[in-house]
Amino acid sequence: MADPAGGPGAMAQPRILLTKEPAPQTVPASDLPMKVYEVAMNTGTNSSTGLATAGFRTAKYLPTEWHLKNSELYHEAFAGCEQAEHGRAEAKELAEYAAAAAQRAQQDSTAAVGQRLQDIHFWKAELQREIQDLDAETRLLAAQKLRLERALDATEVPYAIATDNLQCRERRQAPDLVSDEVERELLREAELIRNIQELLKRTLMQASNQMRLNRDHKEFCEMDWSDKVETYNIDDKCGKYSNQSTNIQFHPSSVKFEESASTPDTWAKFSHDNIYRAEREKLASINLRALIDNILHDTSEDMRKQCAAVNEAFAKHCEELDDTKHKLEHQLKKILKEIGYQEANIAALKQAIKDKEAPMKVAQTRLYDRSFRPNVDLCRDEAQFRLIHEVEELTESINSLKKKLLESEQTLRNLEDTRMNLEKEIAVKTNSIFIDRQKCMTQRTRYPVVVKLAGYQ
């Protein structure tokens, strides 16, 4: 019969299969109480009232009573046997039914435990797969995070190069200290690298947070998986129990439901939610890895393009400086040659002026001596007019030569100033070329390649 409590343990007791009839129960022997009989009064027609038979007639049954009593005993014995036989048949039938019910209930319970093992194995396998996927995804994201760190470190060299180029170009001399295209490209490069560094730092922080979320949800799945493994082992052990097992015993207190026990729906929903959240974080991690790939590709390409633009501006500016310097040097050569010519010209003018001194002395001496002619001979003759005209011509020539000499000397001074300016400008251009080509462009050869900027090295 089932336990009145109605729990699983209530069905555990009737499951014992009876292979033979139980032994009859024995009752310990004891003294039966004495039966007290009432003495019948012999007062009928057949009674004897003689004193001689008085002692033999007391407490005696009549034959009819004796037969009646025997008949009652026969009937009572027959009814008892018939009732006992019927009870034995009912007991045997009940025992067979109880054994069959116990066996059937045990088979159903074993099948239910087996089905439960399949459910646990399914979720355990799903959790294990999700744990492996999350672990693999976290390793991939860690590799991307390492690329970000390498790329961030790689930006230090370009930024140092750009800032150093700007500082070096501050040492240019006037008038080459101009805000030219090279400086604008260098400023763009420095600003681009700063923006890229900020972007990489934000992405690094995002990757670290995503890795932490991946590990947290992996831990949740691992805890659930560990519970499923333990539960699977327990149910597997329970499914292997049989009536012949030696480690089974009575546990009456186990026939109850725990208040904190979950339902099959909440049990499955718990694992489903863990897997769903883990899948969501895994998808977020995959998207973040793709985003990191795009960021590293775009930033490295942008930096290399800007580097090429700066290099092109440097090369173009250096060509302009070279061309200007060559033109200045060519002009300097012409100025130097012209200075030589002018110096020779000045020397020739001075010599020409000096050459006019003797004729002037001759003419003036003649005029002076002729001024001593006496009386009427002091005549304004043709010779006098010609000598005066000669002196005037010589004076005019000397004045013209002196004027030209002054002009030539001023021209020479102008040429000297121009020469100095040209030499100074050539020195400025030489300094600018040295800064741009030897300092800046040589330093820019250390600019990292795309592979390093993308974080692969």
Side-chain angles (χ1 to χ4, degrees):
M1 299 300 291
D3 194 311
M11 297 300 295
Q13 297 178 5
R15 295 181 183 177
I16 302 174
L17 181 62
L18 299 178
T19 57
K20 59 181 179 178
E21 296 184 0
Q25 303 293 325
T26 59
V27 180
S30 62
D31 295 335
L32 296 175
M34 293 291 292
K35 184 175 181 180
V36 179
Y37 297 94
E38 294 181 0
V39 179
M41 298 296 292
N42 292 325
T43 57
T45 56
N46 296 323
S47 63
S48 177
T49 58
L51 295 175
T53 61
F56 296 98
R57 299 289 297 175
T58 31
K60 294 290 181 71
Y61 288 100
L62 296 176
T64 56
E65 292 176 342
W66 181 78
H67 287 291
L68 181 60
K69 185 63 176 177
N70 287 335
S71 178
E72 290 177 357
L73 287 174
Y74 293 153
H75 285 291
E76 185 178 355
F78 179 78
C81 289
E82 189 178 26
Q83 184 178 3
E85 184 178 359
H86 182 68
R88 283 189 294 105
E90 287 183 350
K92 182 178 180 182
E93 183 181 357
L94 179 60
E96 292 176 352
Y97 175 78
Q103 184 178 6
R104 185 170 57 255
Q106 189 178 82
Q107 290 176 350
D108 294 342
S109 299
T110 303
V113 171
Q115 181 62 41
R116 186 63 174 172
L117 283 173
Q118 293 180 4
D119 296 340
I120 295 172
H121 177 74
F122 169 77
W123 287 112
K124 181 168 67 71
E126 290 295 316
L127 287 167
Q128 185 174 3
R129 179 183 59 80
E130 193 62 34
I131 291 169
Q132 293 173 350
D133 291 347
L134 264 181
D135 187 58
E137 178 59 33
T138 304
R139 287 197 298 270
L140 292 175
L141 186 58
Q144 292 292 77
K145 181 173 176 287
L146 180 61
R147 283 185 60 197
L148 282 173
E149 293 171 349
R150 290 174 176 171
L152 182 60
D153 293 339
T155 58
E156 295 297 331
V157 174
Y159 186 72
I161 291 175
T163 53
D164 187 72
N165 289 164
L166 289 170
Q167 291 174 359
C168 286
R169 300 187 91 244
E170 290 295 324
R171 296 196 292 269
R172 292 175 299 167
Q173 300 174 359
D176 282 3
L177 188 59
V178 294
S179 179
D180 53 3
E181 184 65 23
V182 177
E183 183 174 347
R184 288 191 290 272
E185 292 296 339
L186 283 172
L187 290 174
R188 290 194 194 101
E189 184 178 45
E191 183 66 21
L192 173 66
I193 295 173
R194 281 196 297 269
N195 293 335
I196 288 175
Q197 287 176 342
E198 292 297 325
L199 175 62
L200 293 179
K201 289 177 182 178
R202 291 196 303 269
T203 310
L204 264 175
M205 186 178 299
Q206 189 176 356
S208 299
N209 293 334
Q210 187 60 52
M211 289 177 63
R212 179 181 54 80
L213 291 174
N214 287 355
R215 293 191 181 102
D216 290 343
H217 286 81
K218 176 174 171 284
E219 183 178 353
F220 295 151
C221 291
E222 285 175 343
M223 293 175 63
D224 194 4
W225 177 83
S226 178
D227 292 342
K228 294 292 185 293
V229 171
E230 185 177 358
T231 303
Y232 186 88
N233 293 335
I234 292 173
D235 283 357
D236 184 57
K237 182 176 68 173
C238 292
K240 293 178 180 178
Y241 283 145
S242 65
N243 295 332
Q244 289 74 33
S245 300
T246 58
N247 54 345
I248 56 176
Q249 55 184 343
F250 290 108
H251 295 281
S253 61
S254 64
V255 188
K256 62 179 180 179
F257 286 108
E258 297 292 338
E259 294 181 359
S260 60
S262 61
T263 63
D265 293 337
T266 59
W267 174 82
K269 187 177 183 300
F270 181 78
S271 296
H272 177 271
D273 291 345
N274 283 334
I275 294 175
Y276 173 76
R277 288 189 292 265
E279 282 286 337
R280 185 178 59 190
E281 295 303 330
K282 184 177 71 174
L283 181 61
S285 180
I286 293 173
N287 294 334
L288 180 58
R289 283 196 296 110
L291 176 63
I292 291 173
D293 272 334
N294 294 332
I295 288 175
L296 291 176
H297 178 269
D298 294 342
T299 54
S300 60
E301 289 294 330
D302 291 344
M303 291 178 66
R304 287 304 307 181
K305 286 180 181 179
Q306 185 59 33
C307 175
V310 173
N311 291 340
E312 183 179 356
F314 263 119
K316 183 178 180 181
H317 186 62
C318 287
E319 288 179 1
E320 293 176 352
L321 288 174
D322 286 336
D323 182 64
T324 304
K325 181 186 174 186
H326 291 155
K327 290 180 179 178
L328 291 174
E329 289 175 345
H330 179 69
Q331 291 297 325
L332 179 61
K333 289 179 181 178
K334 292 176 64 175
I335 290 294
L336 290 174
K337 185 182 292 186
E338 189 63 31
I339 287 174
Y341 292 155
Q342 198 66 26
E343 288 176 346
N345 181 43
I346 291 172
L349 287 172
K350 287 181 179 180
Q351 186 62 40
I353 293 172
K354 186 176 181 181
D355 291 342
K356 298 299 181 293
E357 291 179 355
M360 179 63 74
K361 289 178 181 179
V362 172
Q364 289 181 355
T365 301
R366 286 176 177 176
L367 286 172
Y368 177 75
D369 288 343
R370 295 190 79 216
S371 66
F372 290 102
R373 289 176 300 168
N375 301 319
V376 179
D377 286 335
L378 186 62
C379 179
R380 298 178 181 176
D381 53 8
E382 183 65 26
Q384 185 71 22
F385 284 111
R386 188 68 189 92
L387 285 173
I388 292 173
H389 184 66
E390 181 184 5
V391 170
E392 290 177 352
E393 286 181 353
L394 287 174
T395 302
E396 185 178 356
S397 297
I398 290 171
N399 291 334
S400 299
L401 289 173
K402 287 182 178 180
K403 184 179 179 181
K404 181 58 68 176
L405 178 60
L406 291 176
E407 291 178 358
S408 298
E409 288 177 346
Q410 183 62 41
T411 301
L412 180 60
R413 285 192 294 270
N414 293 337
L415 290 174
E416 290 290 343
D417 292 340
T418 303
R419 178 184 65 82
M420 293 178 61
N421 291 333
L422 286 173
E423 289 176 348
K424 184 178 179 180
E425 192 65 23
I426 289 171
V428 169
K429 295 296 183 289
T430 303
N431 179 66
S432 298
I433 293 173
F434 174 78
I435 289 174
D436 284 354
R437 180 170 290 160
Q438 303 300 325
K439 288 286 187 180
C440 297
M441 294 186 70
T442 302
Q443 192 176 18
R444 294 189 68 81
T445 58
R446 300 190 298 109
Y447 206 95
V449 296
V450 177
V451 176
K452 191 168 184 178
L453 292 174
Y456 289 110
Q457 293 180 353

